[in-house]
Amino acid sequence: NAGVTQTPKFQVLKTGQSMTLQCAQDMNHEYMSWYRQDPGMGLRLIHYSVGAGITDQGEVPNGYNVSRSTTEDFPLRLLSAAPSQTSVYFCASTKGQGARWYGYTFGSGTRLTVV
Amino acid sequence: DQQVKQNSPSLSVQEGRISILNCDYTNSMFDYFLWYKKYPAEGPTFLISISSIKDKNEDGRFTVFLNKSAKHLSLHIVPSQPGDSAVYFCAASAGYTGANSKLTFGKGITLSVRP
C-alpha cells in the first residue's frame, strides 16, 4: 500500500516553462487536494477535488490548473512558471466519509525551484 | 485574513516535561480540528483530531482540548520526548464531507525537546 505518491521529488524550472506535478493514491480516496508550503506561511490550498471530474479552487489557485479524470490521479499543472511559485508542493487525499475522519493523508512533497 | 492562528513560532521544552501547543481560530463555521506533525523533507502526518461536539480527545501521550467559546484549542504532549521535535500544524475544516472537508492550516510551531 503506497499511500500518496508524488513525482518528481525535486524540480528546477526556468521562468516561463510549464510542467506537471504528478500525484497518485491507491487508497480509493474520493477527495484530493494540492497545497503549497512556503516559509512562515503554513500550508495553503491551491486546488481540490471531491471526486473524478469535479475540481474547485482553493486559496491560491492562480497560475495552476488541475483535472481529475480518475479517482487515483490528481495532477497539478504549472502553466508558465514564475519565481513566486518556488515552493514545496504537497498532494493529499482522504476518504471523507465516516464517523471517524482522520483528515488527509499527505504525500512526501515536490520541492520546486523556479529560476 | 488568517483564519487559523498559531502565534508562537517555536517552543522548547525539557524531555519528560509537558509541551503545550496553542491554536486560535476566527471562523465560527469550523467544526473539526486536527493536528499534524511534520519532519523535514517529509509530508505532514496526522496526529490527533477533535470534533466541535467534544472538548477533549486523548490518544496516548497526546491530548487535544477545545474551547469553542474562546475559539481556542491546544495540544498537550505528556511526557515530551526528543522524537517529538518537529513542526506542528493546527488545521480546521467546516466538516468532513464535500467542500467542507477543505483544511485551513496555521503557520506551524517548531517544537524542540531537549534531552
Side-chain angles (χ1 to χ4, degrees):
Chain A
N1 194 346
V4 179
T5 302
Q6 291 185 238
T7 55
K9 292 192 181 301
F10 301 94
Q11 182 71 50
V12 178
L13 286 179
K14 293 183 179 179
T15 298
Q17 286 184 318
S18 63
M19 79 158 294
T20 299
L21 279 62
Q22 301 292 343
C23 175
Q25 53 90 10
D26 61 358
M27 298 172 285
N28 200 30
H29 284 172
E30 297 172 77
Y31 304 163
M32 297 186 75
S33 296
W34 275 102
Y35 292 86
R36 60 178 287 173
Q37 184 191 11
D38 301 293
M41 299 293 292
L43 286 89
R44 293 181 292 170
L45 181 65
I46 305 171
H47 286 284
Y48 69 98
S49 168
V50 296
I54 306 170
T55 64
D56 206 346
Q57 296 180 353
E59 182 185 354
V60 287
N62 292 340
Y64 308 95
N65 271 356
V66 291
S67 60
R68 183 105 179 265
S69 56
T70 67
T71 301
E72 295 78 20
D73 300 298
F74 192 41
L76 178 72
R77 281 182 286 277
L78 279 70
L79 309 174
S80 177
S84 61
Q85 293 178 304
T86 294
S87 187
V88 181
Y89 292 85
F90 290 101
C91 179
S93 71
T94 185
K95 186 77 172 172
Q97 304 282 348
R100 297 188 70 185
W101 183 53
Y102 294 99
Y104 283 78
T105 300
F106 282 79
S108 59
T110 294
R111 184 174 294 274
L112 176 68
T113 302
V114 182
V115 297
Chain B
D1 180 31
Q2 200 178 354
Q3 299 185 66
V4 177
K5 300 177 183 179
Q6 296 178 262
N7 292 320
S8 301
S10 63
L11 175 67
S12 180
V13 300
Q14 192 76 35
E15 180 179 4
R17 300 290 185 96
I18 184 172
S19 295
I20 300 177
L21 289 70
N22 293 308
C23 178
D24 298 290
Y25 63 96
T26 58
N27 189 340
S28 58
M29 297 300 293
F30 287 148
D31 196 43
Y32 210 84
F33 304 90
L34 308 92
W35 284 93
Y36 280 83
K37 177 180 181 180
K38 186 184 180 303
Y39 292 117
E42 295 183 9
T45 55
F46 171 80
L47 194 57
I48 192 169
S49 64
I50 188 166
S51 166
S52 62
I53 62 173
K54 296 185 175 182
D55 55 16
K56 176 182 175 182
N57 189 28
E58 194 171 355
D59 185 0
R61 297 186 297 114
F62 302 92
T63 302
V64 57
F65 296 92
L66 175 63
N67 183 334
K68 281 195 70 177
S69 61
K71 292 189 173 66
H72 176 82
L73 61 155
S74 60
L75 173 68
H76 292 209
I77 306 174
V78 184
S80 301
Q81 300 173 353
D84 296 329
S85 297
V87 178
Y88 290 78
F89 290 101
C90 174
S93 74
Y96 53 83
T97 59
N100 288 335
S101 70
K102 293 183 296 181
L103 291 178
T104 300
F105 282 84
K107 293 183 177 181
I109 300 173
T110 300
L111 173 66
S112 300
V113 181
R114 307 185 303 273

